[in-house]
Amino acid sequence: MHTETERNRLITIAKRFSEKQWMLGTSGNLSLKLQADPFEMLITASGPDKGQLQAEHILRVGLGAEVLETSAYKSSAETLLHEAIYKAFPSVSAVFHVHTLAATLLSTQQDTHSLTFSGLEMLKGLGQNTHECQVNVPILPNTQDIKSLANVLASQLLASTPGFILAGHGLYAWGESVEAATRHIEIFEFLFQLRLAELSLHAEVSIATGRACVRK
Ligand SMILES: [Zn+2]
């Protein structure tokens, strides 16, 4: 199968996300589905700097994270989560995973199983028809037992939200095209940064109010 174009697409996106500091320290992984039956996808290899990927760093992988070509590189354990997402949503053709500061911070500071956003124009970028909607982003507990998580992942996801956060770890997002998955990662990250800014603003207001009370 000729996959040079697809490999280059993943390399370009990895570079773009790396420049935004979303794939630091070789973290994260990006995949796109080549075919559903038998299942095959391309996914970034574990190890190389995501900002400097070459074609050899993009692996052709089948069911169970089996690498389908001779390679010096391995696919990451998280490859099984990509596969689980493609299985859960057959129309999805790209799955992206990044370790962003905002997703990591929000998922560890808030004692909640999801982040909720409403009334924002940017929510339309996640497939909503209007800003007058509510989007819940699931936060799942992080684990090193990726195989077990992959087995139950489908039951934890929302058909209406193309993404989730692994607590203290990072963001997964997907789409029916590479462009849609890219857009979803960027929109989620905007929402998370917005939430951090809101929390910071509220903290400043409460400190200022506290000072005002003391002055009285
Ligand atoms: Zn990760």
Side-chain angles (χ1 to χ4, degrees):
M1 187 181 292
H2 191 66
T3 58
E4 191 184 338
T5 305
E6 288 83 358
R7 284 173 206 259
N8 284 335
R9 293 183 87 185
L10 289 183
I11 289 168
T12 301
I13 295 161
K15 194 164 188 298
R16 172 168 163 171
F17 288 172
S18 291
E19 285 168 357
K20 293 174 185 284
Q21 315 256 299
W22 295 349
M23 303 190 87
L24 286 173
T26 78
S27 67
N29 25 70
L30 312 179
S31 74
L32 63 81
K33 187 168 68 180
L34 292 173
Q35 58 184 48
D37 189 20
F39 177 77
E40 281 186 23
M41 66 175 160
L42 291 176
I43 188 162
T44 51
S46 179
D49 184 322
K50 297 301 189 297
Q52 299 181 33
L53 294 180
Q54 307 292 321
E56 71 203 62
H57 300 139
I58 310 291
L59 306 175
R60 193 161 63 88
V61 167
L63 280 179
E66 181 191 3
V67 179
L68 300 174
E69 56 197 357
T70 306
S71 174
Y73 295 93
K74 291 182 177 168
S75 67
S76 110
E78 291 166 323
T79 302
L80 293 174
L81 298 184
H82 289 246
E83 185 181 317
I85 293 164
Y86 289 120
K87 241 186 250 177
F89 304 113
S91 62
V92 165
S93 65
V95 176
F96 296 158
H97 170 51
V98 291
H99 291 193
T100 75
L101 190 72
T104 306
L105 184 55
L106 281 175
S107 63
T108 52
Q109 297 299 309
Q110 309 239 311
D111 186 18
T112 175
H113 298 298
S114 67
L115 295 174
T116 301
F117 299 92
S118 59
L120 299 166
E121 183 70 13
M122 280 292 249
L123 294 173
K124 288 162 68 179
L126 296 176
Q128 303 291 332
N129 294 323
T130 167
H131 67 285
E132 294 175 336
C133 65
Q134 180 172 300
V135 169
N136 295 313
V137 185
I139 300 174
L140 308 184
N142 193 28
T143 175
Q144 299 307 313
D145 187 355
I146 296 292
K147 203 170 180 181
S148 295
L149 176 59
N151 286 336
V152 300
L153 188 62
S155 64
Q156 314 282 311
L157 304 180
L158 303 172
S160 56
T161 304
F164 71 94
I165 299 175
L166 276 182
H169 179 157
L171 166 69
Y172 274 83
W174 50 85
E176 295 187 1
S177 64
V178 166
E179 290 77 12
T182 305
R183 185 175 72 246
H184 293 161
I185 286 275
E186 292 187 347
I187 298 272
F188 280 125
E189 183 59 15
F190 171 89
L191 294 171
F192 300 159
Q193 291 190 23
L194 179 75
R195 180 58 44 86
L196 283 182
E198 284 171 352
L199 291 169
S200 168
L201 193 64
H202 290 157
E204 281 176 25
V205 168
S206 62
I207 289 169
T209 309
R211 282 188 187 138
C213 288
V214 170
R215 275 202 298 271
K216 280 179 192 172

